[in-house]
Amino acid sequence: MNETAALRLRQAVRRIQHAARERAATGRALEEADDVAGTFATDGAVGFDPFPFLRALHDAGSRAMVVGQVAGILHGSVEPTGDLDLLWDGTPEQAHALRTALTAAGCTELPDLDRPQAAYRVTGAGGDLCTTALPWGDLDTGPCLTRALTTHDPAGFAVSYAALDDLIRMRRSLGRPKDHRRADELERLRR
């Protein structure tokens, strides 16, 4: 079982929590993140702990895949984040698994999973739940789900995340300044 990526994420979350622990809440929500600094500059970084939700996803049988900066961290990125974004197939079966996981992780207001992108909030994390129907530039994200990698957390659950080449393509397709910067970092990690 490969635990390397999960251990990387555990170390990164400790760094994020340490860096944000004395930060006063500003009222700046994840949706208000700018295109340069990203969600680490929002209140999402305060108390960021994606592990209860990641475990709930595993326990519910969700095949949702981690994308965004958390996936970057799983590959070795050192940039911090304040959100956990997921890509899933949009099927009713997986919507049920997501609702189960969201509820188990403390979500009090379930998002509308009939939309291609829905914001969510659970204890310790928030972010976007994106289906493969969401336009991602010119990238078809459906095949990315079949190429997902898996890491095993030492606490006994698996985490599915975007393969490195797919994550780089996702970053380049979105094209914001933070995406280009992070794609460049991921390219360097590939060498």
Side-chain angles (χ1 to χ4, degrees):
M1 289 198 286
N2 182 359
E3 294 183 349
T4 303
L7 292 173
R8 256 190 223 122
L9 181 57
R10 287 211 173 260
Q11 292 169 348
V13 168
R14 283 193 294 274
R15 285 192 306 271
I16 292 165
Q17 289 172 344
H18 179 77
R21 78 167 181 247
E22 305 217 4
R23 185 191 304 175
T26 62
R28 191 169 180 197
L30 294 172
E31 302 80 37
E32 299 172 278
D34 68 45
D35 288 345
V36 177
T39 57
F40 180 69
T42 70
D43 288 349
V46 178
F48 182 65
D49 183 3
F51 294 104
F53 187 41
L54 291 171
R55 174 173 214 104
L57 289 164
H58 171 86
D59 292 347
S62 172
R63 292 188 306 268
M65 173 180 80
V66 175
V67 294
Q69 187 53 16
V70 171
I73 290 167
L74 288 162
H75 283 288
S77 173
V78 297
E79 267 201 50
T81 190
D83 69 338
L84 173 65
D85 296 325
L86 301 170
L87 180 68
W88 64 292
D89 64 11
T91 63
E93 172 189 81
Q94 285 301 300
H96 176 73
L98 274 175
R99 284 186 195 95
T100 300
L102 287 161
T103 301
C107 183
T108 57
E109 192 172 320
L110 290 174
D112 180 359
L113 296 180
D114 291 328
R115 297 176 41 200
Q117 181 176 13
Y120 76 92
R121 183 83 196 142
V122 295
T123 303
D128 289 315
L129 302 170
C130 305
T131 71
T132 54
L134 180 69
W136 211 291
D138 60 355
L139 179 65
D140 177 6
T141 57
C144 298
L145 288 172
T146 62
R147 293 188 293 262
L149 303 177
T150 302
T151 186
H152 296 274
D153 189 86
F157 59 93
V159 177
S160 174
Y161 62 105
L164 184 59
D165 288 342
D166 288 333
L167 186 58
I168 291 169
R169 280 192 292 275
M170 288 175 180
R171 292 285 190 208
R172 299 274 185 227
S173 291
L174 291 172
R176 300 168 295 196
K178 69 178 180 179
D179 294 309
H180 286 297
R181 180 181 71 240
R182 290 171 176 173
D184 291 345
E185 179 192 28
L186 293 172
E187 294 268 1
R188 288 189 298 275
L189 292 173
R190 190 167 46 189
R191 294 183 198 142

